[in-house]
Amino acid sequence: MPVTAETQAALARADEHSAHNYSPLPVVIESGAGAWVRGIDGVEYLDVLAGYSALNFGHAHPALVAVAREQIGRLTLTSRAFQHDRFADFCSDVARLCNKDAVLPMNTGAEAVETALKLARKWGYDIKGVERERAEIITFTGNFHGRTIGVVGFSTDPDARDGFGPFPPGFPSVEYGSAEALAAAITDDTVAVLVEPIQGEAGVLVPPDGYLAAVRTLCDEHGLLLIADEIQSGLGRTGETFACDHESVVPDVYVLGKALGGGIVPVSAVVANRDVMDVIHPGQHGSTFGGNALACAVGSAVVRLLETGEYQELSRDLGEHLHRLLAELPPDRVSEVRGRGLWAGVQLAQGQPSARVICERLLARRVLAKDAHEGTIRIAPPLVISRADLTWAVEQLADALA
Ligand SMILES: *Cc1c(COP(=O)(O)O)cnc(C)c1O
């Protein structure tokens, strides 16, 4: 399917006055419902990226759209200077989902990560008794936690870091997947460990069995907070509410984002028990839009969807189907398939075209996918995708690889 002149013109127009911090595939989308979107070329495309898992419930989920519409007409923002009538429910809904006491709402994922880091440092000084200005939070190779200066400072990806320093100190990085490496890096100044239960941007890297449980044990032994960045892995993507659930690991701090806003508004949150959360006092942290009425209404509706358990089940069932189909791809084209639930990183074999080229071929076959790292195609469709559409998408991938 060739890129139409109209699409070319729209892309050129966007290029003219936008920063060039992305290199999007040549498609311009005008509408969407469920797992499908329509381009301005009139073509229907199957979305198997789902906004990096911000669209776990699909485009324009009727229940979420209805809540958002109603709320937009009534009240959207008060700022946290005044309370609004959606705030209490949102906080108790998210706390219940996480089985924790308290919720600190923010907007984007990166802000929530920064919030969790501030919380952990304050807890380290006020409760653990680490000497001021010395707190360390251990991070991992291949991590992705967003794009702020603080967060890219401990990225191990040169593209994310280079040219943006100087960075705040106190974030040593250790090998992901190795409990021994983590144990060796813990010092008297360590206050927390920040981990993705599955590394999404690194190419859907699933750590070895037992790793998260070992991290939990080390945190317990050394009195460290375990902060789980479940922004991409959480809220149904892996077949459980949280990726940590697969190892029955309960972190001290959950960081949530992406799907929490239902693909409608940015909603993120840091969730912890009182003994941790209460180290932050009025005036010490905040956000103008964090916890706004529209975000809270949509976020609560997202929790209601997750509490039915339907979406986790869809992710499990469809994920099994997806991984069975992907396992049949020829080994001279695909060297490895990683992932859990409805989430897969398809590693291209040596000598294959780049993941970007395969994604361009998929676009021509009406499937929207995105490369993760150089040789990885990420498959993470909305959890509402039909089994037939999922099968079709993998057929298109097989064709694109042939
Ligand atoms: C997307 C993502 C973030 C950053 O979220 P933004 O909303 O883009 O700031 C942080 N952590 C993980 C694991 C993510 O996937």
Side-chain angles (χ1 to χ4, degrees):
M1 206 159 313
V3 178
T4 65
E6 197 190 356
T7 295
Q8 290 287 14
L11 290 166
R13 211 149 48 76
D15 248 12
E16 202 176 337
H17 293 292
S18 67
H20 297 159
N21 57 327
Y22 279 87
S23 51
L25 289 170
V27 60
V28 179
I29 297 163
E30 63 173 21
S31 63
W36 289 87
V37 296
R38 175 191 288 267
I40 58 170
D41 51 7
V43 174
E44 303 273 350
Y45 297 88
L46 183 61
D47 179 1
V48 302
L49 175 65
Y52 301 89
S53 292
L55 288 157
N56 280 0
F57 310 100
H59 296 267
H61 188 289
L64 299 179
V65 169
V67 163
R69 271 190 210 286
E70 194 278 331
Q71 190 64 42
I72 279 179
R74 202 157 57 75
L75 182 74
T76 51
L77 179 76
T78 59
S79 88
R80 293 287 306 280
F82 316 115
Q83 200 81 267
H84 60 73
D85 67 350
R86 293 289 179 188
F87 188 71
D89 279 345
F90 172 75
C91 293
S92 65
D93 289 343
V94 174
R96 192 174 62 248
L97 187 75
C98 298
N99 196 25
K100 295 282 185 202
D101 298 335
V103 175
L104 199 169
M106 298 294 284
N107 310 283
T108 65
E111 282 177 306
V113 171
E114 290 273 353
T115 301
L117 299 176
K118 287 173 73 176
L119 185 65
R121 281 182 169 186
K122 194 100 186 348
W123 176 88
Y125 299 132
D126 292 1
I127 308 291
K128 196 176 183 207
V130 168
E131 197 183 321
R132 286 269 156 161
E133 309 305 313
R134 293 188 57 92
E136 289 188 340
I137 297 172
I138 295 176
T139 63
F140 294 97
T141 53
N143 73 73
F144 181 84
H145 299 285
R147 298 295 196 167
T148 60
I149 291 211
V151 163
V152 301
F154 53 79
S155 171
T156 56
D157 174 1
D159 276 345
R161 270 177 72 89
D162 283 3
F164 300 117
F167 302 116
F171 302 101
S173 166
V174 311
E175 187 194 341
Y176 186 67
S178 164
E180 294 74 37
L182 174 59
I186 295 169
T187 72
D188 290 345
D189 294 329
T190 309
V191 298
V193 171
L194 171 65
V195 69
E196 293 162 85
I198 291 176
Q199 287 189 332
E201 295 310 296
V204 195
L205 297 188
V206 183
D209 281 346
Y211 174 67
L212 292 174
V215 173
R216 175 71 272 181
T217 301
L218 283 168
C219 286
D220 289 341
E221 284 170 3
H222 295 272
L224 316 177
L225 296 181
L226 176 55
I227 306 170
D229 180 345
E230 292 258 16
I231 290 170
Q232 191 166 160
S233 59
L235 309 185
R237 175 51 62 191
T238 65
E240 298 285 349
T241 303
F242 301 109
C244 282
D245 295 347
H246 291 280
E247 288 199 13
S248 305
V249 163
V250 178
D252 301 291
V253 180
Y254 286 101
V255 188
L256 307 179
K258 294 205 164 102
L260 191 57
I264 296 176
V265 275
V267 186
S268 65
V270 174
V271 191
N273 278 337
R274 280 280 164 222
D275 55 339
V276 176
M277 190 64 87
D278 284 355
V279 302
I280 300 249
H281 302 290
Q284 294 176 342
H285 190 64
S287 162
T288 303
F289 279 87
N292 70 76
L294 177 59
C296 286
V298 173
S300 282
V302 163
V303 172
R304 287 196 291 276
L305 293 182
L306 285 168
E307 283 183 334
T308 67
E310 287 166 51
Y311 295 89
Q312 294 89 328
E313 195 178 325
L314 283 171
S315 178
R316 272 196 299 277
D317 291 352
L318 293 168
E320 212 172 283
H321 183 60
L322 172 67
H323 282 279
R324 196 163 43 234
L325 294 174
L326 291 174
E328 288 165 11
L329 292 171
D332 60 327
R333 304 289 151 90
V334 169
S335 58
E336 186 186 32
V337 179
R338 300 177 293 264
R340 195 161 254 170
L342 196 53
W343 198 14
V346 177
Q347 189 70 41
L348 300 175
Q350 285 285 327
Q352 288 302 299
S354 70
R356 169 76 186 199
V357 166
I358 300 297
C359 288
E360 284 165 0
R361 291 183 189 166
L362 282 170
L363 171 68
R365 289 167 173 79
R366 303 198 296 127
V367 175
L368 302 183
K370 177 79 176 77
D371 44 303
H373 256 200
E374 220 154 274
T376 311
I377 299 162
R378 168 201 341 235
I379 314 271
L383 308 180
V384 298
I385 191 175
S386 75
R387 205 178 172 81
D389 287 346
L390 188 59
T391 306
W392 179 78
V394 179
E395 285 165 8
Q396 301 318 302
L397 176 59
D399 279 356
L401 288 166

